[in-house]
């Protein structure tokens, strides 16, 4: 985030943010009752041969390649300082934001609900035919996955971000950030991100940190949606040379 001060408490801001995973993600089949789960892989654009796709040899399979998903954000607007004291700081940013997220070659588990297993059922998709073979033959140790690509259209809309910092003497610090982004295409379904951190200084270069994050994202593409909370307890080491 880049901010400028036209006067002591007010000025424009510009921000750029990119988020991705550097390393690929793999998964091994689970072992239950001494029997290893098998793998089925399916795509939406090829003919299915469930026997050829019945994989009992691979020790692991790629769930997500490197640098997937990739998310890019940008925004411009007005930065205003609400409080600026020795122990308390608070500011708010309001403007127009831009966001786009892409995922490719990722593997996900599909639901098996509402699949007709009768031999005469007229399946409307190849994946359903694959499910039917699995259920009819009783392969209850099987994991079924789809491999696909997903990207949402670039989203533009108003954004508001609130920052606050509270310093409790020399040993404790509380920080909080609340971000709301409401694209014009879904103004009543905004994305919300809330991060809070409590840091307690143990010794000069070591702090104990509790970090909480709540993330709610509701893009048009269902596979890109997210609603999750994270809790972390960390030891932070810092060194300053003067």
């Amino acid at each position: 985030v880049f901010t400028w001060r036209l006067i002591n408490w007010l000025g424009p801001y510009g921000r750029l943010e990119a988020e991705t995973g550097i390393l690929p993600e793999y998964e091994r089949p689970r072992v239950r009752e001494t029997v290893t789960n098998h793998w089925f892989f399916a795509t939406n654009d090829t003919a299915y041969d469930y026997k050829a796709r019945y994989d009992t040899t691979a020790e692991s399979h790629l769930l997500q390649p490197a640098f997937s998903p990739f998310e890019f954000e940008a925004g411009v607007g007005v930065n205003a300082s609400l409080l600026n004291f020795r122990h308390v700081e608070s500011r708010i940013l309001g403007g127009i934001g831009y966001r786009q997220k892409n995922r490719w070659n990722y593997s996900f588990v599909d639901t098996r609900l509402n699949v007709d297993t009768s031999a005469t059922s007229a399946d409307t998709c190849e994946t359903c035919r694959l499910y039917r073979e699995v259920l009819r033959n009783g392969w209850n140790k099987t994991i079924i996955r789809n491999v696909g690509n997903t990207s949402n259209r670039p989203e533009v809309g108003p954004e508001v971000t609130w920052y606050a910092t509270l310093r409790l003497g020399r040993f404790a610090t509380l920080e909080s950030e609340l971000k709301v982004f409401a694209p014009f295409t879904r103004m009543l379904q905004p994305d919300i991100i809330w991060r809070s951190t409590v840091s307690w200084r143990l010794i000069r270069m070591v702090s104990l940190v509790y970090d909480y994050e709540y993330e709610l994202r509701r893009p048009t593409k269902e596979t890109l949606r997210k609603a999750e909370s994270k809790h972390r307890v960390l030891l932070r080491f810092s060194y300053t040379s003067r």
Side-chain angles (χ1 to χ4, degrees):
V1 178
F2 303 92
T3 60
W4 296 267
R5 295 284 182 90
L6 298 180
I7 55 179
N8 289 337
W9 59 275
L10 185 68
Y13 81 88
R15 70 176 188 89
L16 295 173
E17 182 177 343
E19 182 178 348
T20 188
I22 298 177
L23 300 177
E25 181 180 352
Y26 290 86
E27 183 176 81
R28 291 177 178 271
R30 298 177 183 177
V31 178
R32 296 177 182 172
E33 301 175 1
T34 70
V35 178
T36 302
N37 287 348
H38 303 300
W39 300 82
F40 269 105
F41 276 83
T43 58
N44 294 326
D45 56 357
T46 59
Y48 291 90
D49 182 351
Y50 66 88
K51 293 180 180 179
R53 293 178 179 273
Y54 188 53
D55 189 344
T56 62
T57 60
E59 295 184 358
S60 63
H61 286 281
L62 179 66
L63 299 185
Q64 198 159 257
F67 304 105
S68 175
F70 182 84
E71 184 171 1
F72 176 77
E73 297 183 14
V76 293
V78 177
N79 164 52
S81 177
L82 303 178
L83 297 171
N84 189 10
F85 299 103
R86 179 179 179 183
H87 298 291
V88 180
E89 292 182 14
S90 179
R91 60 193 177 110
I92 189 169
L93 282 67
I96 296 295
Y98 168 93
R99 177 182 296 161
Q100 184 171 14
K101 184 175 183 178
N102 298 314
R103 297 181 69 183
W104 55 89
N105 293 338
Y106 68 98
S107 171
F108 59 95
V109 178
D110 272 341
T111 179
R112 304 186 207 176
L113 299 178
N114 301 323
V115 177
D116 188 352
T117 60
S118 63
T120 58
S121 65
D123 297 309
T124 58
C125 64
E126 295 292 346
T127 306
C128 295
R129 282 191 277 273
L130 178 61
Y131 290 170
R132 188 179 66 186
E133 295 296 338
V134 170
L135 297 177
R136 188 196 304 166
N137 288 279
W139 296 332
N140 57 1
K141 300 296 180 183
T142 302
I143 299 173
I144 302 178
R145 291 187 175 276
N146 265 357
V147 179
N149 303 316
T150 305
S151 62
N152 68 317
R153 294 180 179 179
E155 295 183 310
V156 179
E159 65 174 10
V160 176
T161 305
W162 171 75
Y163 298 94
T165 302
L166 175 62
R167 301 179 183 88
L168 303 176
R170 298 176 57 187
F171 298 97
T173 303
L174 284 71
E175 297 177 297
S176 190
E177 173 189 346
L178 177 63
K179 182 188 297 183
V180 179
F181 174 60
F184 293 119
T185 55
R186 49 183 179 92
M187 294 283 290
L188 299 180
Q189 293 184 315
D191 295 343
I192 300 173
I193 301 176
W194 176 31
R195 300 186 180 99
S196 290
T197 301
V198 180
S199 178
W200 183 266
R201 185 178 179 184
L202 300 179
I203 57 177
R204 182 178 180 182
M205 294 185 294
V206 181
S207 299
L208 180 65
V209 179
Y210 167 72
D211 182 73
Y212 171 77
E213 179 178 341
Y214 173 74
E215 188 171 1
L216 176 64
R217 296 185 183 271
R218 294 180 283 188
T220 305
K221 295 289 186 178
E222 186 173 352
T223 54
L224 295 177
R225 294 177 183 175
K226 180 188 294 188
E228 64 180 19
S229 298
K230 296 179 182 179
H231 301 265
R232 298 187 300 173
V233 177
L234 310 169
L235 279 178
R236 178 181 295 168
F237 297 87
S238 61
Y239 173 75
T240 302
S241 178
R242 297 180 179 178

